[in-house]
Amino acid sequence: MNLTYRTNFLLKMGIPLILFYLYFFQSSSTTTLVAAIIATIHYGAYGIDIHKKGNWPKVNLEHDQRTRSNAHFAGYITCWAMIFLLFIGSVLILNTDIPLTFPNLIAYTILASFVLRWIIRDYLNFLPLAEEG
């Protein structure tokens, strides 16, 4: 759904708010706090970018063909990176004395995959289009 930049920003800022709520009132997990901080930084940078360009009242064409294909490519790379990290992490946990449990490995891998996906997707979306002609 294509919304204005203002509405899209306000909806996306709900994610860090929910994560901070979960940290302070439900779980008190360090992973939740780290995810909340990373999401706040990510969406704060997104808001600053919108403000610099003066796009608040404009419609965000977020789901055109180029951004969708970039998101799919980033998801594909992230999926294989997660599989690789989980395999290597589980082998290291079983064969060494690393003080890491399997639930922590899974949580940190999921958190790292979100960050990796955001970085790859945003990098590809902000590349200039190739000049034709």
Side-chain angles (χ1 to χ4, degrees), residues 5-125:
Y5 281 94
R6 181 183 312 119
T7 307
N8 194 12
F9 177 76
L10 291 174
L11 290 174
K12 286 183 176 182
M13 278 309 288
I15 294 171
L17 292 174
I18 291 170
L19 289 172
F20 278 119
Y21 170 79
L22 289 174
Y23 174 73
F24 288 115
F25 298 111
Q26 299 291 325
S27 70
S28 297
S29 169
T30 308
T31 307
T32 308
L33 180 62
V34 171
I37 291 171
I38 290 173
T40 302
I41 292 170
H42 176 73
Y43 293 125
Y46 176 67
I48 291 169
D49 186 51
I50 292 170
H51 185 70
K52 281 183 185 177
K53 294 178 182 175
N55 288 337
W56 289 111
K58 296 179 184 173
V59 174
N60 183 8
L61 298 175
E62 186 176 298
H63 301 291
D64 62 348
Q65 183 178 0
R66 179 174 179 250
T67 57
R68 263 189 251 147
S69 68
N70 289 342
H72 284 112
F73 179 72
Y76 179 76
I77 296 296
T78 303
C79 174
W80 284 105
M82 269 182 66
I83 291 170
F84 180 73
L85 284 174
L86 287 172
F87 176 73
I88 296 298
S90 62
V91 168
L92 287 175
I93 287 173
L94 290 175
N95 295 329
T96 62
D97 292 332
I98 294 177
L100 188 67
T101 62
F102 284 108
N104 285 344
L105 173 69
I106 292 169
Y108 291 137
T109 304
I110 290 171
L111 181 64
S113 71
F114 282 131
V115 172
L116 181 65
R117 194 191 83 192
W118 287 336
I119 290 171
I120 293 171
R121 183 196 64 199
D122 291 346
Y123 175 75
L124 292 174
N125 285 339

